[in-house]
Amino acid sequence: MIDPRPFAERWLAAWNAHDLDAVLALFHDDVVFTSPLAMKVVPESAGVIRGKPALRAYWSAALAQVPDLHFELTSLFAGVDSLLIGFSMNNGPERFEIVRFRDDRVSEGHGTYRVET
């Protein structure tokens, strides 16, 4: 199992540095990533991004839309082979990214957003 705190700190630092290579280094080449935001940024994906090259293209486009992106860690939960990373972006509402590991890298990730009730 990945040590949760150091992983979350690397993830957070890479995003806050806008270092896409460092973010992608945390993921397997055959990663599958889902996100409601992907449906908006890459509509033809239907929200499912497959493989590191497609993930790079998606995140590059998303970062271009938010050049001042800054994440704050709000919570961290560990499972057997997964983490739930709670964060806020630019002091906005809390969001969660759920990542599942194979060996020492992320094989599956899911971006999630608050549902207004």
Side-chain angles (χ1 to χ4, degrees):
M1 172 63 191
I2 288 286
D3 193 349
R5 177 70 55 187
F7 178 88
E9 289 170 356
R10 284 192 312 275
W11 179 89
L12 191 69
W15 276 115
N16 285 340
H18 299 195
D19 185 346
L20 200 48
D21 288 331
V23 175
L24 288 166
L26 302 171
F27 291 79
H28 275 280
D29 290 342
D30 62 350
V31 64
V32 175
F33 191 85
T34 67
S35 171
L37 183 59
M39 287 191 288
K40 294 177 183 176
V41 175
V42 188
E44 64 275 12
S45 73
V48 180
I49 308 296
R50 297 180 188 282
K52 206 182 270 191
L55 194 56
R56 176 184 294 281
Y58 159 51
W59 281 341
S60 292
L63 276 172
Q65 294 179 9
V66 188
D68 63 339
L69 176 132
H70 181 79
F71 289 167
E72 293 284 335
L73 188 65
T74 58
S75 57
L76 185 62
F77 295 83
V80 173
D81 64 352
S82 59
L83 290 179
L84 185 144
I85 303 169
F87 65 99
S88 64
M89 183 179 86
N90 298 357
N91 296 314
E94 187 174 32
R95 300 173 178 196
F96 293 93
E97 188 159 311
I98 303 160
V99 293
R100 189 168 186 193
F101 295 92
R102 184 174 73 239
D103 306 319
D104 61 344
R105 288 182 289 153
V106 176
S107 61
E108 185 180 319
H110 305 281
T112 64
Y113 302 86
R114 181 179 305 276
V115 175
E116 297 302 323
T117 56

